[in-house]
Amino acid sequence: MVKNPYIPTAVEIISIRPESEVDYTYRLAIDLDVDNGQFVEVSIPKVGECPISVSDFGNDYIDLTIRHVGKVTNQIANLEVGDKLGIRGPYGNGFPIEEYQGKDLVIAAGGTGLAPVKSIINHFYRNPEEINSLTLLLGFRNPANILFADEIAKWEEADHIDVILTVDEGDEEWAGNVGLVTGFVEQINFTDLANKEVVIVGPPIMMKFTSLEFMKHDIKEEQIWVSFERKMSCGIGKCGHCKMDDTYICVEGPVFNYTKAKNLVD
Amino acid sequence: MSYAVSIEKMDKVLKELKKKYRVYAPIRFEKRGRYSDTDLIRYAEIDSVKDVVYNEKSDFSPKEVIHPITQTLFHFTEYEYRESQIDDKEILIFAHPCDINGIKRLDTIFLENGNNEDVYYKRLRDKVKFVLMECQEDWDTCFCISMGSNQTDDYSLAIKFGEDQLSVEVKDNEFEGFFASEEEIDFTYKFVTANQEEVNLPKIDDKEMLKKVYDLKMWEDYNARCKDCGACTSACVTCSCFTTSDVIYSENGRVGERRRVWASCQHEDFTEMAGGHSFRNTPADRMRFRTLHKVYDYKERFGEEHMCVGCGRCTDRCNQLISFSKTINKLTEEVNRLQKEVN
């Protein structure tokens, strides 16, 4: 019998880690074959279902970093270690990280946009020989909204990773960068342009203007990769919610090369 | 072989068929129409061929037989999920050519798109055989010929309804036995060959032209006219979008079911994500999205044909009297104008 893709598997929560006041990382005990940047459909029976990107994964777990902001995610806030979430997937295409091997990779992430690219960063953190250099340009709304602070500190210490961390609005204690991600693009080393690949993930307006900023520095469209977030009910190309033009974000995306992404209109 | 069959005989055949099949046809629901003293014609199971409304267009399409308005996907307890079940009966649907072609469009979405088959659609679709009904007139909003959907060979029986007699072509051997004792006649099903309404389809050759089409002023007209009700998409035989929703059986219980329900791209919340962010925030955007899906991007994706089959029900159902054929023609005029500007 063909497996019914609409039916979730109940998976146990093995840890819950607060990232900010409203963002939590749930580690789930499941062995899934995930590509970096893919997403799963997460359910709570009687509440509903929503797509969540996989923020990290290992042999016997996946991490989901969830902001408690909607119908389903607000209910997830009430769950504890040992409770279960319904999971189906993974869905979508993921980032082509084999194309980033040996390159000077730049990852620009805004807010929760860091979640779908965190596993790529950790992959190259653990495997420095696979990459020529890695630059992270990470933007958050304010210091309290910074996600994965421990891991960012760990990346900052690595010799082969440069981290530029900025917040839109600082506070009294914040001594770091203040300003939008776009304003820090010029700090990136733009020598050896041909060897660069740029991943940009965040709110639509951030991805648009950050892409344009990189192109001002002669980065070609083909070198830029973005990931889209849309409403989805099925994740498998049927429900129609995520369609843009002739493209289904859940099937052909959520990751697109900029040459394709620039033509997609809602 | 074709036969002359009396209504009484056809009802006897129907009675036999109903042992194996659920038989659906457009039937009349008196006084259930949108306006006072009007009737609603929609698909339901029939007990007599006398109930079949063959000389008026149905308000709704037969899609609800295989893509129901609400459909239970699975039942759940706290951590267990059990797939919903259906019965063993086969399905026979009385339909006009446009609707049979429309269901082929649904097949494309549910059985091909995303490189997987939708199990809930497939389990009903695999049961379906069609009884082709002859279109005895060209209704004023039909434009099947422009869409190339006025013909089909996907049918088991083809029927022309008369006052007290039917002409029946039997194409599927399974049904031959029911009519063997009837008078053989020379009957060939006649497809409609002319519509009062014709549309010219837009030729959008590249992404540059598509971008100009997005920006056309014509879409803004719909900001005042379209009321986001979604009547067009529920009447459309090819609209397939849905949303899932969970229902619990008792107020404090953890036992319930997940259903899918039809969704409409014309509704404001169609793209709304957690946190409230949404896309296509005006009726103009949504009308542009629907129009281009029906007469541009479905074909771009799947190659062969447009999604719209020209049944005209969206026009018939629109409370604001928005004619979809006029919309397409206007779009084509605008595309032609843009094309001239380029050249």
Side-chain angles (χ1 to χ4, degrees):
Chain A
M1 197 179 125
V2 185
K3 166 119 174 65
N4 181 339
Y6 290 99
I7 295 189
T9 305
V11 180
E12 189 177 331
I13 299 169
I14 49 181
S15 71
I16 302 173
R17 187 192 140 90
E19 305 288 354
S20 77
E21 265 184 36
V22 288
D23 301 279
Y24 292 77
T25 296
Y26 294 79
R27 180 158 292 187
L28 306 177
I30 185 171
D31 178 13
L32 269 191
D33 188 11
V34 183
D35 287 335
N36 307 275
Q38 283 190 300
F39 66 95
V40 291
E41 286 281 343
V42 179
S43 314
I44 300 186
K46 92 177 183 180
V47 181
E49 195 167 42
C50 63
I52 302 281
S53 58
V54 177
S55 60
D56 224 330
F57 52 91
N59 286 335
D60 51 4
Y61 72 88
I62 59 169
D63 282 350
L64 305 177
T65 302
I66 295 174
R67 175 163 289 184
H68 298 150
V69 70
K71 191 174 69 167
V72 177
T73 53
N74 280 327
Q75 284 295 321
I76 292 175
N78 298 328
L79 299 181
E80 296 171 356
V81 171
D83 288 339
K84 290 179 180 177
L85 279 172
I87 296 292
R88 54 190 189 87
Y91 298 127
N93 61 347
F95 290 93
I97 68 165
E98 65 288 352
E99 292 191 30
Y100 308 152
Q101 306 271 328
K103 297 285 180 70
D104 294 309
L105 179 63
V106 179
I107 297 179
T112 51
L114 181 53
V117 295
K118 186 167 79 85
S119 64
I120 310 180
I121 301 172
N122 278 332
H123 175 84
F124 291 120
Y125 171 78
R126 286 189 301 267
N127 302 287
E129 71 288 355
E130 287 187 17
I131 199 143
N132 196 45
S133 75
L134 177 59
T135 305
L136 307 179
L137 175 47
L138 311 176
F140 295 94
R141 186 164 296 166
N142 54 49
N145 276 352
I146 293 176
L147 301 178
F148 314 119
D150 294 355
E151 288 184 276
I152 292 172
K154 182 182 81 178
W155 301 330
E156 281 175 327
E157 282 174 22
D159 290 339
H160 67 297
I161 305 179
D162 286 325
V163 180
I164 304 169
L165 177 63
T166 176
V167 295
D168 300 350
E169 295 168 25
D171 57 24
E172 304 87 71
E173 291 173 31
W174 180 253
N177 297 316
V178 176
L180 299 176
V181 161
T182 43
F184 292 87
V185 170
E186 62 183 21
Q187 291 189 12
I188 290 167
N189 177 0
F190 283 101
T191 56
D192 197 8
L193 283 176
N195 201 43
K196 272 209 160 35
E197 296 287 343
V198 181
V199 169
I200 303 172
V201 185
I205 195 155
M206 173 269 180
M207 290 196 285
K208 180 181 174 186
F209 285 104
T210 310
S211 298
L212 293 175
E213 201 61 35
F214 275 96
M215 285 187 281
K216 275 188 209 161
H217 289 87
D218 295 327
I219 296 295
K220 294 197 178 78
E221 291 178 351
E222 299 81 48
Q223 295 170 282
I224 299 176
W225 306 81
V226 295
S227 177
F228 283 16
E229 192 181 18
R230 288 294 180 282
K231 179 180 172 71
M232 296 172 186
S233 280
C234 72
I236 52 176
K238 309 297 182 193
C239 78
H241 285 282
C242 71
K243 190 177 86 69
M244 295 171 76
D245 308 333
D246 60 354
T247 300
Y248 288 74
I249 305 306
C250 66
V251 176
E252 282 87 45
V255 176
F256 294 96
N257 188 264
Y258 191 82
T259 50
K260 167 90 178 168
K262 69 171 181 181
N263 288 319
L264 294 176
V265 175
D266 281 291
Chain B
M1 300 288 266
S2 296
Y3 305 93
V5 183
S6 68
I7 299 284
E8 290 70 31
K9 169 66 182 176
M10 195 64 201
D11 272 350
K12 282 185 188 150
V13 172
L14 180 65
K15 200 173 172 189
E16 283 303 305
L17 285 172
K18 281 177 64 111
K19 290 175 183 166
K20 180 178 174 190
Y21 288 92
R22 291 183 180 280
V23 183
Y24 293 90
I27 68 172
R28 181 179 305 280
F29 292 81
E30 284 185 8
K31 313 287 187 198
R32 294 267 300 275
R34 275 193 300 184
Y35 307 109
S36 307
D37 282 336
T38 59
D39 301 337
L40 175 73
I41 300 166
R42 69 170 181 81
Y43 274 76
E45 286 189 68
I46 56 166
D47 292 316
S48 165
V49 288
K50 282 184 271 202
D51 295 336
V52 178
V53 178
Y54 58 86
N55 50 5
E56 287 177 56
K57 196 198 295 184
S58 62
D59 295 294
F60 291 96
S61 82
K63 79 173 170 185
E64 61 187 286
V65 176
I66 43 179
H67 179 38
I69 301 169
T70 65
Q71 183 176 32
T72 302
L73 302 183
F74 53 82
H75 305 271
F76 55 75
T77 58
E78 201 164 3
Y79 293 139
E80 283 174 358
Y81 310 91
R82 192 163 40 83
E83 185 176 316
S84 63
Q85 302 295 309
I86 53 170
D87 65 31
D88 293 335
K89 282 218 166 157
E90 303 289 310
I91 296 170
L92 206 55
I93 301 176
F94 283 63
H96 293 288
C98 60
D99 283 338
I100 295 175
N101 283 307
I103 287 171
K104 294 226 176 291
R105 272 56 160 182
L106 292 181
D107 291 349
T108 305
I109 300 292
F110 283 112
L111 302 178
E112 288 176 30
N113 198 40
N115 302 317
N116 60 71
E117 292 180 333
D118 183 285
V119 290
Y120 299 99
Y121 182 83
K122 184 176 166 58
R123 70 186 187 180
L124 288 170
R125 181 66 177 93
D126 282 349
K127 294 166 171 285
V128 171
K129 289 188 174 183
F130 291 109
V131 179
L132 183 63
M133 290 194 289
E134 189 166 290
C135 300
Q136 299 192 342
E137 66 178 295
D138 157 48
W139 292 298
D140 61 355
T141 57
C142 295
F143 53 99
C144 55
I145 291 168
S146 300
M147 302 315 297
S149 55
N150 58 315
Q151 298 197 23
T152 179
D153 59 4
D154 182 7
Y155 61 89
S156 294
L157 300 172
I159 293 186
K160 179 179 183 177
F161 282 82
E163 279 299 307
D164 45 22
Q165 184 166 284
L166 309 171
S167 305
V168 180
E169 178 198 342
V170 182
K171 184 159 165 278
D172 181 337
N173 287 337
E174 182 195 332
F175 300 97
E176 196 67 56
F178 292 108
F179 302 98
S181 59
E182 301 306 299
E183 179 199 346
E184 275 186 40
I185 54 168
D186 190 19
F187 162 63
T188 312
Y189 181 98
K190 285 196 184 60
F191 294 105
V192 167
T193 53
N195 292 141
Q196 305 160 52
E197 193 73 0
E198 288 181 19
V199 302
N200 297 309
L201 293 160
K203 281 191 66 168
I204 301 171
D205 291 331
D206 53 39
K207 298 287 180 195
E208 290 307 309
M209 178 58 78
L210 183 60
K211 285 214 158 112
K212 290 178 187 163
V213 168
Y214 290 138
D215 294 336
L216 284 173
K217 285 272 180 225
M218 67 170 275
W219 305 121
E220 291 173 20
D221 295 349
Y222 301 101
N223 282 332
R225 296 184 68 198
C226 176
K227 302 300 177 197
D228 307 328
C229 73
C232 48
T233 57
S234 61
C236 177
V237 63
T238 69
C239 274
S240 56
C241 293
F242 63 85
T243 300
T244 54
S245 131
D246 287 11
V247 177
I248 43 170
Y249 298 144
S250 67
E251 202 46 47
N252 53 5
R254 288 181 178 269
V255 180
E257 63 188 48
R258 178 161 299 160
R259 297 170 175 177
R260 67 176 169 202
V261 296
W262 288 358
S264 174
C265 62
Q266 302 303 285
H267 290 167
E268 287 182 285
D269 62 356
F270 186 73
T271 58
E272 187 179 318
M273 302 189 295
H277 190 76
S278 62
F279 307 89
R280 295 192 295 280
N281 291 314
T282 63
D285 291 342
R286 296 187 283 271
M287 184 69 183
R288 182 258 302 153
F289 180 81
R290 178 171 72 92
T291 303
L292 290 177
H293 193 200
K294 297 300 174 189
V295 298
Y296 171 69
D297 62 62
Y298 174 93
K299 188 174 180 184
E300 279 292 294
R301 184 174 179 84
F302 300 110
E304 283 177 28
E305 63 221 350
H306 284 298
M307 192 174 208
C308 176
V309 291
C311 76
R313 288 191 184 94
C314 52
T315 302
D316 299 331
R317 293 299 290 173
C318 182
N319 290 300
Q320 295 293 107
L321 307 179
I322 294 170
S323 158
F324 197 53
S325 46
K326 300 276 186 295
T327 304
I328 298 170
N329 282 333
K330 173 77 178 166
L331 171 61
T332 302
E333 278 173 29
E334 291 290 309
V335 170
N336 292 344
R337 178 181 62 77
L338 291 168
Q339 201 70 54
K340 274 189 196 138
E341 283 174 16
V342 173
N343 295 335

